[in-house]
Amino acid sequence: MTKVVTISNVPAKNKAQVEQDFRNEGAKHVNSTMEPDGEFTIIAIFENAQLADPKPDPKPGPKPSKN
Amino acid sequence: MASNSKSTKFSAKTTRPAQTLPLSLVVLLCSFFAGGCASSSGIPKKPWDSAAELKTLAPYLTADVMATYNSAGSIAAKTVYRDTVVYARLRAIDVTYSTFVTALAKERNIEAVATDTSVLILTGTASLIHPASTKSILAAISGGVVGVKGSIDKNLFYDKTMPVLLTQMEALRKQRLATILTGLSVPADRYSLTQALIDLEDYFQSGTVPYALMAVNAESGAASQKATKEIKELRTFSFNYGAAEDEDVSTKIRTWLLNGGTAWDPARRQELEGWLKEKNVTDAGITSFLNGPFKTQRSAFVTEKKIP
């Protein structure tokens, strides 16, 4: 099972942290490319990833009630 | 003396053809390598200019397509631009792939014919020419040609391996194309240009010999893996902290995950993954949760788990 996760528009100051997060999570490969505006797109590849129930699209969960 | 003189004349006459014959052979070989026998490749000449076609696609092959895509504004505009870029790149990849396959076919046919012919001509010619030096020159050339052919063993590669690899490439390309076309059937917010570019790279790689070799190896050694369903998931997010205080929330969760160590605490990681699943936040993983558009959910997690 292979999972590819991409996070784009990462400011330069946050690049190292996002890369570290991916590595902590167990990514096999982490690659960064600079966007034309100076921000970064970071791509992580996970091998043998455990995906519980693959969903067609990522959806934000229900918003917690503020009341 | 007369005899010597005659001998000298004879020698002069016989060495001239020996010096000119290789030149004529070179011309003959050059005509093969220059494509003089194009029909032997089995591929007709294209009625249009592939290089000129690639030039017209150039605006969509540049590195700044992401910037244009990101500045497109609405989802509809992004979708239109995504489709244009993807179709242009698909065509460009197809043109280069077609050129590659044509070159392979020509290389195989021309090289085999030219090499075999040159061996026959050179060795045959050597037996007809008397002076030993000329014979040895021609035999040396012949030996060189045979040596090159034998060391590479290209005939075996092209006859046995290449057809398998080309079939594999075609199958892989069709699979990747299906993925891309499926993606293009939904708006850009569900299949972004970034995802499409990743799939296009896959599509391109599918038409390469190393990729096909890997696929053949994987398939031949994995008959037992048929039952194992490979799931390839693609998830794309935009970095989103919002305000500085939200960055602090992510930092709090990271600190909580580390639990005083240098790697994430397995128990806490499991706890967070369980929470993400229970709340149906995302299945893309913790990094996406920490850095993606889940500001509200991050705050909820910190509050719920009473993370200081």
Side-chain angles (χ1 to χ4, degrees):
Chain A
M1 239 171 346
T2 302
K3 182 173 76 170
V4 180
V5 181
T6 303
I7 299 183
S8 57
N9 306 321
V10 179
K13 73 182 179 74
N14 299 102
K15 173 176 169 282
Q17 182 61 66
V18 175
E19 288 174 343
Q20 187 58 49
D21 285 343
F22 273 131
R23 290 195 185 96
N24 282 339
E25 197 177 348
K28 189 174 181 187
H29 302 288
V30 179
N31 292 309
S32 302
T33 53
M34 187 185 272
E35 297 166 7
D37 59 2
E39 294 184 332
F40 289 85
T41 292
I42 302 173
I43 300 173
I45 299 172
F46 297 82
E47 299 287 350
N48 300 317
Q50 297 298 314
L51 297 173
D53 297 306
K55 300 171 183 64
D57 295 293
K59 292 180 204 167
K63 291 183 179 175
S65 169
K66 293 196 174 179
N67 297 325
Chain B
M1 283 296 286
S3 170
N4 280 348
S5 172
K6 197 173 181 181
S7 172
T8 307
K9 279 183 184 171
F10 176 78
S11 176
K13 276 183 184 171
T14 52
T15 51
R16 279 190 70 80
Q19 287 168 344
T20 53
L21 262 176
L23 286 175
S24 63
L25 289 177
V26 167
V27 171
L28 177 65
L29 291 179
C30 285
S31 70
F32 274 114
F33 283 104
C37 54
S39 61
S40 69
S41 68
I43 298 175
K45 193 173 187 299
K46 271 190 184 167
W48 65 85
D49 184 349
S50 297
E53 188 180 4
L54 279 177
K55 272 187 188 171
T56 65
L57 300 173
Y60 304 104
L61 308 180
T62 56
D64 62 356
V65 291
M66 277 309 299
T68 310
Y69 171 79
N70 286 331
S71 63
S74 68
I75 295 297
K78 283 185 172 179
T79 304
V80 169
Y81 185 71
R82 176 203 67 186
D83 290 358
T84 309
V85 170
V86 171
Y87 280 119
R89 291 196 175 200
L90 280 174
R91 181 64 195 142
I93 292 171
D94 284 348
V95 167
T96 52
Y97 178 74
S98 171
T99 306
F100 170 66
V101 172
T102 305
L104 275 179
K106 279 184 178 173
E107 188 179 343
R108 189 266 171 277
N109 284 278
I110 293 170
E111 196 163 287
V113 171
T115 308
D116 294 343
T117 308
S118 63
V119 171
L120 289 174
I121 293 173
L122 289 171
T123 52
T125 307
S127 64
L128 295 173
I129 298 171
H130 298 290
S133 60
T134 309
K135 281 176 75 175
S136 56
I137 290 170
L138 290 175
I141 296 170
S142 168
V145 174
V146 175
V148 168
K149 187 185 169 194
S151 66
I152 298 175
D153 205 3
K154 280 187 174 172
N155 281 349
L156 183 65
F157 176 74
Y158 282 111
D159 289 345
K160 305 293 180 190
T161 311
M162 210 58 211
V164 176
L165 292 182
L166 283 170
T167 306
Q168 184 69 39
M169 284 185 218
E170 281 302 324
L172 289 169
R173 277 164 46 84
K174 280 178 186 166
Q175 285 175 18
R176 305 293 183 260
L177 183 62
T179 304
I180 294 169
L181 294 181
T182 304
L184 294 185
S185 66
V186 298
D189 59 337
R190 293 180 58 197
Y191 184 71
S192 68
L193 182 59
T194 311
Q195 281 176 296
L197 293 179
I198 292 170
D199 290 343
L200 278 167
E201 178 64 23
D202 251 2
Y203 182 65
F204 172 77
Q205 292 294 340
S206 300
T208 64
V209 171
Y211 200 94
L213 274 171
M214 281 194 294
V216 168
N217 284 338
E219 280 184 12
S220 62
S224 62
Q225 291 180 4
K226 262 188 173 178
T228 307
K229 189 180 174 190
E230 183 176 342
I231 302 169
K232 187 169 183 178
E233 292 285 327
L234 292 171
R235 293 285 185 267
T236 303
F237 298 96
S238 183
F239 183 83
N240 189 344
Y241 273 160
E245 55 267 27
D246 187 50
E247 188 166 350
D248 292 342
V249 172
S250 288
T251 304
K252 281 181 182 177
I253 298 173
R254 279 193 196 96
T255 307
W256 175 82
L257 275 168
L258 288 170
N259 196 19
T262 53
W264 289 352
D265 182 313
R268 290 195 169 180
R269 174 185 179 148
Q270 198 173 5
E271 186 178 346
L272 175 51
E273 284 172 340
W275 187 86
L276 292 174
K277 186 179 174 186
E278 180 196 329
K279 303 288 182 184
N280 194 26
V281 178
T282 175
D283 64 355
I286 292 175
T287 304
S288 303
F289 172 66
L290 291 174
N291 301 284
F294 304 103
K295 189 166 62 171
T296 310
Q297 290 86 347
R298 286 192 289 266
S299 296
F301 182 77
V302 167
T303 304
E304 199 174 306
K305 300 293 176 183
K306 297 184 173 57
I307 297 172

